[in-house]
Amino acid sequence: QGYTWTATGVPDLSQDPPVLRSIGRSSYGEEAATTTTSAPTEGTTCATNADVVNGTVNDLSLTITRDCDAETVEIQLEYANYADQWLGLVFADGMLGHALIYTTGHAGTDTLSMYPYVNSAMNVAGVTRNTGNTWTVSQETVVGTTLQLTLSSTFAETSVLFGSASTLTVSYAFGMSDTQLAYHGSSNRVSSALTFDLCTCSEQAPVVTFVEGLAEYTTVTGPVVDNWCWYDNDMTAFDTGADLTQTPYDHTVHCMIDVEFCVNSGYALLQESAATPGTYEIAYHFDEHWNDVLRAEFLAIEPTAR
């Protein structure tokens, strides 16, 4: 049934679309007592300019480094049971979600490398290339049965994975005998997932001073969408298939809070386009404070009513 929301904040016009920031606001939009403040940080702030986590499950070892200053992410992978087959990482507890797959693709004609995909169904047809997400492979080594890969991307490219989540879950599967994408078989999926605890890079927003009576604040109302459905799923609701530019209210709260890659991507507020009446476009993205408030509101709704 969709979700209409009203929020008050300070538009950050350096972004396009602008970000509605909750600077100077306390929880749920009430005006803060102070008049000068900087943007809040959420969760545990990284002690240094980098966040490094690592873990091993079965034959797979991962090290993930986020550089808060450069706003980049690096993944170092070592797989000790490589036999010239495809290898896929899924960023979820299971096989549905955003993925990175070392493969030659569906047709087996692509250059063997690590590519971003989205797994939207439990079959090969539901594994589609994510052309809006870019990773650069800087190391690719096979020694005996050990595959080593190093790949990197930017915060902007990986926000759907690392956005506001305090944990990151990674599962993996591998092909039976070929680098061409195919069913992994009943025994080539590892049931135990890796879970990483993440810290939060400090938000580098400027200090803002508010003067009562001036128009720093704005109040906006409109339907809410998650960023994954808008950007990664071509403005289409993952749950209902609705065109969000036409019928944004045909987008369930269930999709926005219960689907891991949707909830982790954060939210945006739509309004009717002035240039094209009858269609909707993003008016504002939300900062992490407003994203967390929305998540809390969604979770308070009974699951059967979402």
Side-chain angles (χ1 to χ4, degrees):
Q1 69 272 16
Y3 197 82
T4 300
W5 205 54
T6 298
T8 299
V10 180
D12 180 352
L13 301 179
S14 68
Q15 309 294 316
D16 185 22
V19 175
L20 190 68
R21 299 200 178 277
S22 54
I23 301 170
R25 296 267 154 174
S26 58
S27 181
Y28 291 86
E30 297 175 2
E31 189 167 353
T34 56
T35 57
T36 304
T37 184
S38 58
T41 58
E42 305 291 341
T44 303
T45 303
C46 300
T48 65
N49 72 323
D51 179 20
V52 182
V53 292
N54 53 71
T56 299
V57 58
N58 292 29
D59 298 311
L60 179 74
S61 296
L62 291 177
T63 298
I64 301 174
T65 302
R66 295 183 302 155
D67 187 318
C68 299
D69 289 343
E71 297 189 346
T72 57
V73 178
E74 181 185 82
I75 297 178
Q76 293 176 295
L77 173 156
E78 183 172 297
Y79 180 57
N81 192 29
Y82 182 67
D84 296 318
Q85 79 273 58
W86 64 262
L87 172 69
L89 309 179
V90 184
F91 294 89
D93 188 4
M95 292 291 105
L96 295 180
H98 282 265
L100 289 169
I101 306 178
Y102 187 66
T103 181
T104 52
H106 284 284
T109 56
D110 295 338
T111 301
L112 180 61
S113 188
M114 189 70 103
Y115 297 100
Y117 282 82
V118 176
N119 298 354
S120 59
M122 301 292 278
N123 54 58
V124 177
V127 182
T128 55
R129 181 76 64 82
N130 183 359
T131 57
N133 191 223
T134 303
W135 289 80
T136 300
V137 177
S138 58
Q139 180 201 12
E140 181 179 342
T141 306
V142 177
V143 179
T145 61
T146 300
L147 169 67
Q148 294 178 321
L149 294 171
T150 301
L151 55 154
S152 59
S153 189
T154 65
F155 279 11
E157 293 276 355
T158 61
S159 62
V160 72
L161 300 180
F162 299 98
S164 61
S166 58
T167 61
L168 179 69
T169 302
V170 183
S171 305
Y172 81 94
F174 49 95
M176 291 185 279
S177 61
D178 199 340
T179 56
Q180 182 177 348
L181 277 179
Y183 175 51
H184 52 66
S186 59
S187 61
N188 290 359
R189 170 193 165 189
V190 176
S191 58
S192 298
L194 278 169
T195 299
F196 299 104
D197 292 323
L198 303 177
C199 64
T200 301
C201 294
S202 298
E203 190 175 346
Q204 300 300 311
V207 172
V208 178
T209 300
F210 302 105
V211 179
E212 187 176 356
L214 297 184
E216 281 91 355
Y217 297 140
T218 188
T219 298
V220 292
T221 300
V224 171
V225 297
D226 62 88
N227 289 320
W228 187 88
C229 284
W230 188 269
Y231 290 105
D232 293 88
N233 207 38
D234 195 26
M235 294 170 282
T236 303
F238 178 66
D239 53 345
T240 64
D243 182 347
L244 296 173
T245 68
Q246 300 292 324
T247 55
Y249 295 102
D250 292 339
H251 185 201
T252 67
V253 171
H254 162 69
C255 177
M256 292 188 280
I257 193 61
D258 296 319
V259 179
E260 185 171 10
F261 46 86
C262 291
V263 66
N264 286 346
S265 70
Y267 304 106
L269 184 137
L270 304 183
Q271 291 184 330
E272 191 169 345
S273 171
T276 313
T279 66
Y280 288 82
E281 61 187 8
I282 289 182
Y284 294 97
H285 289 114
F286 292 122
D287 70 2
E288 281 313 301
H289 171 82
W290 287 136
N291 282 333
D292 285 343
V293 170
L294 268 169
R295 291 184 186 105
E297 290 192 13
F298 289 160
L299 288 170
I301 298 172
E302 288 294 326
T304 55
R306 295 175 186 168

